[in-house]
Amino acid sequence: MKEIEITGIDSNFQREELKHFFGFKGGYLTELWQNIVRIESLNGFESIGIGTQSVLYGDANVFASTSESNGNALMYVVTNKALQRIQGLQFESPIALLDHLIPELYQEAKQITGIEELNINFLYNALLSVDNALWLLYAAENNLRTFHDMIPAPYKNALSAQNKKIAIMFQVSYDMPIADIVQAADDGYFVFKIKTGFPGTPEEMLHKDIVRLTEIHQALKNKSSKQTPTGQVYYTMDANGRYPNKQLLQRYLDHARSIGAFDQILLYEEPFIEENNENVSDMGLLIAADESIHNEGDAYEKLALGYGAFVLKGIAKTLSMTLKIAKIAYEHSIPCICSDLTVNPTLIDWNKNIAAAVAPFPSLGMGLMETNGDMNYKNWTEMKSRHPYPNAPWANPIQGAFELDSHFYQTGGGIFEVHDYYKNLFKHK
């Protein structure tokens, strides 16, 4: 591959308001900043990378330490520090360049946020737009036209599938009305991702989570679907690291059994605080690791602790890091799903490319990913118009799934074609 020299950098951002308070990880968001960068190369190529910032996901302590807007501003500063560091550098692989950047940039991010124990996911989130731009520049310089072509050889086997369909995990937030959940089932959605980990003490959290599961299951238990082998709808749960220990989580699962919901649970995402090192192989349920996998070492540690699935977050932790995690999952024959960050329409298809390329999820026979921007952004229709193919069949849910065709694979879901809207955010010479 070519050695690419970076000769120009620029950045911008936009604030996108949410329709309502969006609760997870014990906190609430009201807006999400869209972080956009442009990178130019010596050979005359340029690329535009887009990222959605989520400070609450990246590090809840940063989110709680300051105002929501200032937290976003701090993350944007880190993005620009990264751009300054790559100016004038040469690279052959985005992965190698990010590996070079991260150690010093992480120390700088600690100083910027004032958080010494900064969760590195904050840094990954800040680097997302930069990483995406680097991958698109890498593709342009090397005349790579599809997502599969863009994946370096060591990672191709892990992302070699071509799923024809991807089930959409319909996100159920803390406060979503039951009527909306029922309507989603009537509209064909068949996998419901229930946000657990309500704000409060561990006991208060558990009580609220149990009440919430009861009302959701009561509303959905008789709903059927032709998309699942059992004919029932399925649940996944995501606590975003809120449960302190297995004992508390087991009480939640025992309640799920008591009301007849347990057999409909596909998996439980990231239940425990990061300090928890309990083995989960005896939980009787597939436990998936998400935020707690910061690097390859963490992935191997989670495997040793009995975690049976990985949540890939290429739209939060960068594609560069995600490829490493996907490779480990492939080598150990454990399934992967792709989780959302309430991202914009363009980033949905970055995520969709990954979900389409990993092995089908067991018991579903298709890919599995979450997307929830349409239900959370106030200006979603306008945002969708900035996608290169907003009306493509593969760009819109059909009966709770994305149905992928040759056009999707040929275009990489449109990620190689940046809309003029984003180009016009930058001043051209």
Side-chain angles (χ1 to χ4, degrees), residues 15 18 63 75 86 120 132 230 239 270 291 337 378 402:
R15 301 170 69 165
L18 301 179
F63 185 82
M75 184 175 281
I86 66 173
I120 200 167
N132 282 355
T230 64
E270 199 67 37
E291 290 101 315
I337 66 173
K378 182 172 286 189
F402 291 117

Side-chain angles (χ1 to χ4, degrees), residues 347-358:
L347 287 175
I348 286 175
D349 279 292
W350 277 89
N351 217 21
K352 196 185 298 175
N353 272 294
I354 299 169
V358 297

Side-chain angles (χ1 to χ4, degrees), residues 156-416:
K156 279 192 185 295
N157 286 341
L159 288 98
S160 60
Q162 282 200 351
N163 286 302
K164 294 182 179 180
K165 188 179 290 190
I166 300 174
I168 298 171
M169 293 187 289
F170 183 89
Q171 188 190 82
V172 179
S173 63
Y174 296 152
D175 305 313
M176 177 176 283
I178 292 297
D180 292 356
I181 303 170
V182 171
Q183 184 61 56
D186 291 340
D187 290 340
Y189 288 93
F190 53 97
V191 181
F192 291 83
K193 178 174 178 174
I194 301 168
K195 282 291 185 183
T196 57
F198 269 83
T201 67
E203 286 294 332
E204 290 170 340
M205 173 186 72
L206 177 63
H207 173 73
K208 293 175 184 176
D209 284 352
I210 283 175
V211 169
R212 183 65 163 159
L213 177 60
T214 301
E215 62 182 8
I216 292 170
H217 183 61
Q218 184 64 32
L220 296 182
K221 65 181 181 180
N222 294 321
K223 294 293 182 181
S224 61
S225 173
K226 295 180 180 179
Q227 303 267 36
T228 66
T230 64
Q232 296 176 300
V233 300
Y234 290 148
Y235 308 135
T236 73
M237 284 84 183
D238 184 6
N240 290 109
R242 287 275 294 154
Y243 275 66
N245 53 53
K246 283 170 58 175
Q247 188 272 336
L248 200 70
L249 180 62
Q250 193 61 64
R251 288 166 60 190
Y252 177 86
L253 297 178
D254 287 344
H255 176 74
R257 288 186 179 91
S258 73
I259 63 173
F262 185 83
D263 289 341
Q264 290 172 244
I265 302 175
L266 281 179
L267 59 90
Y268 201 119
E269 285 185 50
E270 199 67 37
F272 303 122
I273 58 175
E274 287 202 23
E275 296 78 13
N276 183 291
N277 289 315
E278 294 176 280
N279 190 291
V280 299
S281 59
D282 60 350
M283 297 294 292
L285 180 71
L286 195 64
I287 306 294
D290 178 5
E291 290 101 315
S292 58
I293 300 181
H294 309 122
N295 52 44
E296 292 160 289
D298 291 332
Y300 287 119
E301 182 178 326
K302 291 300 178 182
L303 289 172
L305 291 174
Y307 284 75
F310 287 165
V311 180
L312 303 180
K313 232 177 177 102
I315 40 70
K317 296 183 184 178
T318 74
L319 177 61
S320 293
M321 179 55 65
T322 296
L323 292 179
K324 297 179 182 181
I325 306 306
K327 181 174 182 287
I328 294 170
Y330 173 79
E331 291 169 347
H332 290 81
S333 301
I334 71 165
C336 292
I337 66 173
C338 289
S339 194
D340 199 5
L341 196 72
T342 312
V343 296
N344 60 60
T346 298
L347 287 175
I348 286 175
D349 279 292
W350 277 89
N351 217 21
K352 196 185 298 175
N353 272 294
I354 299 169
V358 297
F361 191 84
S363 78
L364 277 178
M366 63 183 81
L368 183 59
M369 69 175 281
E370 175 195 6
T371 173
N372 60 66
D374 57 334
M375 66 177 71
N376 286 304
Y377 282 108
K378 182 172 286 189
N379 298 318
W380 182 254
T381 301
E382 184 178 347
M383 294 170 71
K384 187 71 180 287
S385 71
R386 303 165 195 163
H387 188 286
Y389 300 101
N391 299 315
W394 47 260
N396 297 282
I398 299 173
Q399 290 291 299
F402 291 117
E403 298 185 4
L404 309 182
D405 56 19
S406 59
H407 183 253
F408 169 80
Y409 285 103
Q410 290 165 3
T411 62
I415 67 170
F416 300 100

Side-chain angles (χ1 to χ4, degrees), residues 97-112:
L97 182 53
L98 243 67
D99 286 346
H100 170 74
L101 284 177
I102 284 173
E104 289 189 10
L105 197 60
Y106 180 50
Q107 297 305 317
E108 199 160 9
K110 289 181 181 181
Q111 295 175 358
I112 290 168

